[in-house]
Each structure stands twice: as C-alpha cells, then as structure tokens.
C-alpha cells in the first residue's frame, strides 16, 4: 500500500487537515482505540531496519488497525490541489452563496405585490417574507457546520443546495400566505448551508493564512453583490408579477445547480476515509482505516460532540463571544442599511435595512421601488474599496515581515488592524445617512453614505472572520456557525423594531443611536489586538491545536531525518556495488 497513501499506527502523525483525531474528546476519538494505537507509537521512532520490519506487519497490538495519512506531496491532499482547481471551488462557493443572499433579500422590492396577492397588511406582516427566511439561518448553521466536520463538506454543501432549490421552485406556487411563509422558512434553512460550510472549505484548501485570507477577501467582495442585487431585481421584476422575482431565482439556481453538485470533497479526514474504504475494497486482505473511522458515531455522541460545539465555543471562548456580539450588532446595524449577511465568508446585506431604506428614500425623495433598490449599489462599491484595502494591507504586512519589523510577527496584526479601521467607518456612515436625508439636501448625499458603510462592514467581516478561522482552524466551521446563529437571530428580530424606532425617534436620531452603539463596539478589535495572544494561549481549543501542530512538527522532523538516513545508506550501497 504505497504510492498515494501511507499506513502507520500513529494517529497524531497527520496534518491538521488530514485528520480530526486527537486525544481530546472534542474530536470524539474513542479513547480505547487511541490507547491501542498509541502503543505502536514507540516503534515508529525505532531505527530504519526495525521500521521496515514493522511496515511489513499487518497486525499489531492495535489489533491490525493500520491508519493511513497523506504523504507530504500527496495529490489527494486538498492543500496540494492545483491552483486552477482551488479557484474553481472558490468561484462555485461564491455562486452558491450569491444564490442564498439574493434569495434572502429578493422579497424586499416585491412586498407590495406579495401583500396584495395574499391579502395581508400591516408592518409586521410585511417584515415576515425576509425575516422568516432568516429564521432558517438561526438553526441551519448549528446543524450543517458540525455535520460537515463529521460527514464531509461535499454531501452537506451539495445536498442542502438541491433541497434549497426545490423549495425555491415551490415558492411562486404557494397557494396562501401561510404556505408561502413555511416554504420561505424551509428554503432559508437549507440556503444557509453554503454560508455555514464555506469557511471550512477554504480552510481545507489553503493551509497558508495569506492565501486563505486573499481567497476569503475576494469571495466576500464578490458575494456582497448578491444581496445588493436582490432589491434591484425584485423592484423592477415585481412590476410584471409578484412571481417573477422568484422565477428569476429558479433560473439562476438551476444554472448553479450542476457546478455545485460537482464540487469535490475537501475535508481531509473524509478524503482519507474514502481512500481507506477504496483500498479495503480493491486490495483483498488490506486492513487499513482512517482516523475518522474511530470517532464516536452514535447520534447522541454526534449531538454532544459536534452539534453542541458552537454553543460551547460561544460560552467558553472570548474571541468567539465578542465576535458574535459585534457581528450581531452589524446585522442589527443594517437597520440603517441592511448590510449584514456577509458573515461566514458570504455576502448578504440588507435584511433590516430592507426595512429601513423604505423609511428614508421614498418618503423624503419619492423613490420608486427600483430606484430604492439602486440605492444599495454604493454599498457594493464600498465593498470593492474594502477589498483593495485588504489586499494592500496584506502586501504591506508581508513586506514588513520580510524586513523583520517586530510588530509584523504578531498573529493579531495579520487581520485585526483592518477591523480597527472598519469600525469607525461603519459607525460614521450611520450618522451620515441619518443627518443627510433631508429634502433640502440632494438625494445623492445620503445614498453615498453606503460607500463608507460598505467599506466598514466588509473590513470588519473579512478581518474578524479570518481571524477566527486562523485561530481555530479545524474548529472554524463550528465557530462560524455560532457567529452565524447569533447574527441571524438579530436579523430576524430587529426588523420588527425598525419601523417603530424610525417612527418614534425620526430618521436622524434612529441612525444616530446605531452610530453611538457602533462606536462603542469599535473597542473590540483594539482589545483583540492588545490581548488576543493571551486569550488564545488560555483557550482550550487553541491549546489543542497548538499541541497538534507541535506533535506534527516533531513527526515531520523525525520522518525527514529517517528519509535522509535512508538516502545516505542507499547511496553508500550503490557506491559499494559500483
């Protein structure tokens, strides 16, 4: 069993993307199996002659459990895939999330025709088409992110997209208001899966934080235009029929379905599991397994170990808790402009603002539904500026590291300075739009407030979410799931408060309230910048990852030395033959 795979008895001799096994119950490795396998660990460090003898043995004190791992240059390891393949997966991920984010905001320009079709009225009823979709975002990430860490990304990513598409087709056929809302809820639950899983997929593909950060930046920027486009599309298509915005989603989703279903598995432990299964099938007598085969697999253990992890991380990890709080505020801050959905690496903006902009532009400037949708475009333009700032900072940081500047060696300085910049941009934009939206001031002035808002919110999302992915690596999907859950919960609830808030406080002071709260939250990235390394050093999850990296480095060094000695002996033997 050579070539594309390698068998051994050491469950720790893996890259973090090769296996999710460890001594920690967080990863669910059966302790008895681990102790059996670990008994062989001592023999791995024997001289080469004994090592070669061991490699010919198919049974051992681990009861014949030979574990496979990726070779250093294994083409099956997602880290080693070609750049073209990685870019294709990044693009498909962006397309899937654009589907999701447009779907979340598509009713915003269609609320009048939808209300007339189903005979409903009142502010609370008109909030429901957007909010009920987001309600699915509350529960979905808690389910799909951990499941992707147990069963793999592919089946969760593609399977849920198919189910989302089926319910998207069903939406324009809704016979009544209740059926319409139920279908939207189910569609939203499945639509959140790409947003929940995509952060884990990018962590699977890119082990280099620089490459991963660039991919996330470009991805977030592209997907920002999904929710920006939702109000524009529905604003113009709804003039023909309330169904046409949803028919557009059916067409777009159908065009995306095939590439989404063709995306390969990227989760290293599951890739190894499939490889081991293939070997056992095609090589009679082979007794090889992947470490994930020995993880706890009962539904009770799955619930406790995987589905409960996002809650544990929120409750016990200050980095996750504070990030969730800030992200939830930004979701609520979209009461100013709806920019909120670019969470987990995705885009999605507008939910609450979808309720707030109608309180601003039609009454003050007489905007039509289509024109109101176009008012969101500056947010997308701001996102482009944010992406340029991110890439510039990435280049500046690499140059500073190359020059040996002390500050550039800190992990916190890789991401967090951008969040320190983005927070004030976002808060200032709230004051801008609130006090500029007056009849005597030209409409372009409050509309342009979307540019600093887009800069601020995307810088915050890119920096904080990338920081979480860097800090928690294989646990990133669970951390992002917890963040997505809290954000979406605010996204569901706050739209109901938006209209009363703007009615009682007025446009100026309602936006100012959000701005004051925003400036208060700006302290979070500064605190991370100063104390982040200490917080990570005390984190149970981060400690476990650090131990895995240390063990991996030791194993890699021992393997390198063994290979070096082997090459020397082979060279000496060849010289003797000559």
């Amino acid at each position: 069993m050579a070539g594309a795979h390698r068998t051994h008895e050491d469950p720790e001799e893996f890259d973090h993307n090769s296996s999710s096994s460890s001594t920690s119950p967080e990863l669910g490795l059966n302790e008895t199996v681990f102790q059996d396998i670990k008994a062989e660990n001592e023999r791995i460090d024997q001289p080469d002659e004994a090592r070669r003898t061991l490699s010919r043995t198919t049974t051992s004190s681990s009861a014949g459990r030979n574990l496979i791992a990726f070779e250093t240059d294994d083409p099956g390891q997602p880290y080693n895939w070609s750049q073209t393949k990685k870019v294709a997966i990044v693009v498909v991920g962006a397309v899937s999330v654009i589907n999701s984010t447009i779907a979340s905001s598509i009713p915003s320009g269609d609320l009048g025709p939808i209300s007339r079709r189903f005979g409903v009225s009142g502010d609370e009823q008109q909030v429901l088409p957007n909010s009920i979709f987001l309600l699915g975002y509350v529960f979905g990430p808690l389910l799909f992110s951990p499941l992707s860490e147990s069963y793999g990304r592919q089946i969760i990513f593609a399977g849920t997209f198919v189910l989302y598409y089926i319910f998207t087709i069903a939406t324009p056929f809704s016979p009544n208001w209740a059926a319409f809302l139920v279908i939207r809820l189910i569609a939203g639950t499945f639509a959140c899966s790409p947003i929940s899983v995509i952060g884990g997929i990018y962590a699977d593909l890119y082990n280099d934080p620089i490459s991963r950060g660039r991919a996330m930046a470009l991805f977030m920027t592209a997907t920002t235009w999904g929710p920006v486009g939702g109000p524009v599309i529905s604003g113009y298509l709804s003039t023909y029929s309330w169904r046409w915005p949803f028919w557009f989603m059916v067409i777009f989703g159908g065009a995306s379905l095939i590439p989404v279903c063709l995306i390969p598995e990227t989760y290293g432990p599951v890739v190894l599991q499939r490889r081991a299964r293939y070997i056992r099938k095609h090589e009679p007598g082979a007794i090889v397994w992947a470490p994930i085969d020995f993880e706890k697999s009962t539904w009770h253990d799955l619930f406790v170990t995987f589905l409960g992890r996002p809650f544990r991380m929120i409750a016990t990890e200050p980095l996750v808790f504070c990030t969730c709080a800030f992200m939830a505020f930004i979701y609520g801050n979209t009461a100013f402009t709806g920019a909120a959905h670019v969470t987990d690496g995705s885009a999605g903006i507008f939910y609450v603002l979808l309720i707030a902009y109608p309180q601003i532009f039609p009454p003050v400037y007489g905007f039509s539904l289509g024109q109101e949708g176009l008012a969101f475009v500056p947010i997308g333009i701001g996102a482009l500026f944010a992406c340029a700032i991110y890439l510039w900072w990435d280049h500046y940081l690499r140059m500073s590291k190359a020059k040996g500047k002390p500050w550039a060696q800190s992990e916190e300085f890789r991401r967090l300075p951008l969040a320190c910049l983005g927070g004030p941009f976002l808060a200032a934009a709230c004051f801008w739009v609130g006090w500029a939206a007056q009849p005597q001031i030209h409409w372009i002035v409050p509309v342009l407030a979307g540019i600093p808002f887009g800069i601020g919110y995307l810088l915050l999302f890119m920096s904080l979410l990338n920081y979480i992915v860097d800090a928690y690596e294989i646990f990133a999907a669970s951390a992002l799931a917890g963040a997505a859950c809290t954000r979406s919960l605010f996204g569901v609830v706050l739209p109901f408060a938006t209209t009363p808030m703007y009615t009682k406080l007025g446009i100026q002071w309602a936006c100012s309230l959000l701005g004051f709260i925003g400036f208060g939250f700006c302290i979070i990235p500064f605190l991370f910048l100063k104390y982040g390394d200490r917080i990570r050093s005390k984190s149970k999850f981060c400690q476990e990852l650090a131990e895995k990296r240390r063990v991996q480095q030791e194993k890699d060094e021992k393997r390198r030395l063994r290979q070096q000695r082997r090459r020397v002996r082979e060279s000496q033997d060849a010289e003797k033959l000559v």
Side-chain angles (χ1 to χ4, degrees):
M1 288 170 278
H5 69 278
R6 173 170 54 87
T7 63
H8 65 85
E9 295 79 14
D10 183 1
E12 293 180 332
E13 194 171 340
F14 302 113
D15 184 276
H16 80 267
N17 194 37
S18 307
S19 168
S20 61
S21 65
S22 81
T23 60
S24 169
E26 289 296 335
L27 293 178
L29 184 65
N30 182 283
E31 187 65 23
T32 302
V33 173
F34 176 78
Q35 294 298 337
D36 287 340
I37 296 172
K38 189 177 181 181
E40 297 302 317
N41 191 25
E42 304 295 333
R43 302 177 68 180
I44 296 243
D45 301 325
Q46 294 176 11
D48 286 353
E49 186 62 30
R51 184 73 179 95
R52 287 194 293 271
T53 301
L54 177 61
S55 69
R56 294 194 294 267
T57 304
T58 58
T59 61
S60 66
S61 61
S62 61
R65 295 184 183 96
N66 295 311
L67 301 182
I68 63 172
F70 290 120
E71 293 285 359
T72 303
D73 298 322
D74 193 329
Q77 161 66 279
Y79 288 160
N80 298 328
W81 289 352
S82 68
Q83 193 64 27
T84 300
K85 187 173 183 178
K86 291 181 179 181
V87 170
I89 294 173
V90 171
V91 171
V92 172
V95 169
S96 69
V97 175
I98 289 174
N99 270 271
S100 173
T101 54
I102 293 180
S104 65
S105 63
I106 200 71
S108 59
D110 195 17
L111 294 177
I114 289 175
S115 299
R116 289 191 293 270
R117 164 62 180 83
F118 294 110
V120 296
S121 60
D123 294 334
E124 295 81 6
Q125 295 288 335
Q126 295 202 6
V127 166
L128 287 175
N130 286 328
S131 288
I132 203 71
F133 192 92
L134 289 182
L135 186 60
Y137 279 51
V138 175
F139 304 108
L142 298 176
L143 178 66
F144 299 130
S145 293
L147 287 178
S148 74
E149 295 172 349
S150 181
Y151 295 100
R153 318 289 192 199
Q154 181 187 44
I155 188 172
I156 302 299
F157 184 79
T160 53
F161 189 88
V162 170
L163 293 172
Y164 150 75
Y165 184 64
I166 290 173
F167 284 94
T168 298
I169 295 174
T171 303
F173 293 105
S174 302
N176 53 56
W177 181 241
F180 175 80
L181 294 179
V182 169
I183 292 172
R184 285 284 292 171
L185 172 62
I186 299 174
T189 301
F190 291 121
C192 77
S193 178
I195 297 175
S196 306
V197 174
I198 203 69
I201 290 178
Y202 287 176
D204 296 338
L205 294 175
Y206 298 100
N207 61 335
D208 175 20
I210 294 177
S211 300
R212 182 170 62 241
R214 289 174 179 173
M216 289 287 283
L218 295 173
F219 165 79
M220 289 183 181
T221 303
T223 53
T224 297
W225 287 90
V228 167
V232 180
I233 294 167
S234 59
Y236 285 105
L237 290 182
S238 63
T239 59
Y240 299 98
S241 168
W242 75 272
R243 290 185 172 92
W244 261 109
F246 298 101
W247 288 131
F248 173 86
M249 294 309 307
V250 171
I251 296 170
F252 184 38
S256 309
L257 191 61
I258 293 178
V260 167
C261 290
L262 292 178
I263 194 171
E265 179 58 58
T266 63
Y267 191 45
V270 172
V271 173
L272 284 175
Q273 184 183 46
R274 294 180 180 180
R275 177 178 292 181
R277 191 179 300 146
Y278 179 88
I279 294 170
R280 293 195 302 270
K281 180 179 179 180
H282 292 87
E283 295 185 21
I287 306 177
V288 295
W289 304 92
I292 198 173
D293 290 320
F294 300 110
E295 291 185 357
K296 299 175 182 179
S297 57
T298 67
W299 281 104
H300 175 268
D301 290 331
L302 179 66
F303 179 83
V304 172
T305 302
F306 292 102
L307 302 188
R309 185 183 294 155
F311 294 105
R312 291 198 302 275
M313 297 188 79
I314 293 174
T316 63
E317 298 293 316
L319 296 180
V320 177
F321 175 82
C322 293
T323 299
C324 288
F326 204 172
M327 296 298 98
F329 165 72
I330 296 175
Y331 235 73
N333 202 357
T334 55
F336 145 61
T337 101
H341 205 139
V342 179
T343 55
D344 302 2
S346 359
I349 103 185
F350 297 16
Y351 307 118
V352 189
L353 159 101
L354 297 176
I355 310 302
Y357 264 28
Q359 309 295 319
I360 298 175
F361 292 104
V364 178
Y365 296 105
F367 277 20
S368 66
L369 288 176
Q371 292 170 331
E372 180 189 318
L374 290 173
F376 290 93
V377 171
I379 298 174
I381 297 174
L384 295 176
F385 283 114
C387 182
I389 294 171
Y390 186 97
L391 295 176
W392 171 83
W393 172 255
D394 182 71
H395 173 74
Y396 178 73
L397 180 64
R398 285 190 294 110
M399 296 295 292
S400 298
K401 281 187 175 182
K403 294 177 180 179
K405 294 184 178 180
W407 66 267
Q409 312 308 315
S410 168
E411 286 291 316
E412 276 61 40
F413 272 92
R414 180 186 296 135
R415 311 292 189 195
L416 293 176
L418 297 180
C420 297
L421 174 66
F425 265 101
L426 186 144
C430 295
F431 290 101
W432 180 340
V433 72
W435 293 94
Q438 301 182 44
Q440 65 271 26
I441 299 176
H442 194 275
W443 59 264
I444 194 63
V445 178
V447 166
L448 288 179
I451 294 178
F453 188 92
I455 294 173
Y457 97 82
L458 190 57
L459 285 179
L460 285 167
F461 272 116
M462 286 192 299
S463 55
L464 291 178
L465 295 181
N466 271 312
Y467 181 60
I468 291 296
V469 171
D470 292 345
Y472 294 99
E473 295 183 356
I474 61 174
F475 301 120
S478 291
L480 295 180
C485 176
T486 54
R487 284 194 311 270
S488 298
L489 186 60
F490 272 68
V492 170
V493 174
L494 287 177
F496 292 95
T498 303
T499 299
M501 181 177 69
Y502 276 82
T503 300
K504 292 182 178 180
L505 298 180
I507 294 174
Q508 288 79 15
W509 287 108
C511 292
S512 296
L513 175 62
L514 297 172
F516 286 124
I517 297 174
F519 277 121
F521 271 104
C522 286
I523 194 175
I524 288 178
F526 287 96
L527 292 176
F528 283 179
L529 198 63
K530 183 173 179 61
Y531 301 108
D533 57 340
R534 301 184 210 175
I535 296 173
R536 287 187 292 109
S537 67
K538 297 178 181 179
S539 163
K540 183 174 75 171
F541 288 91
C542 293
Q543 288 174 356
E544 183 175 335
L545 290 171
E547 178 63 17
K548 285 173 66 66
R549 282 193 293 266
R550 185 190 66 78
V551 171
Q552 179 65 35
Q553 290 171 357
E554 291 180 358
K555 299 300 181 183
D556 289 344
E557 179 63 18
K558 291 176 182 178
R559 185 163 55 247
R560 187 189 65 81
L561 293 174
R562 286 195 297 268
Q563 293 172 349
Q564 186 178 32
R565 290 196 300 267
R566 185 180 299 113
R567 284 193 296 268
V568 170
R569 282 197 301 273
E570 289 174 353
S571 177
Q572 292 173 346
D573 292 342
E575 291 177 358
K576 291 179 181 179
L577 291 175
V578 173

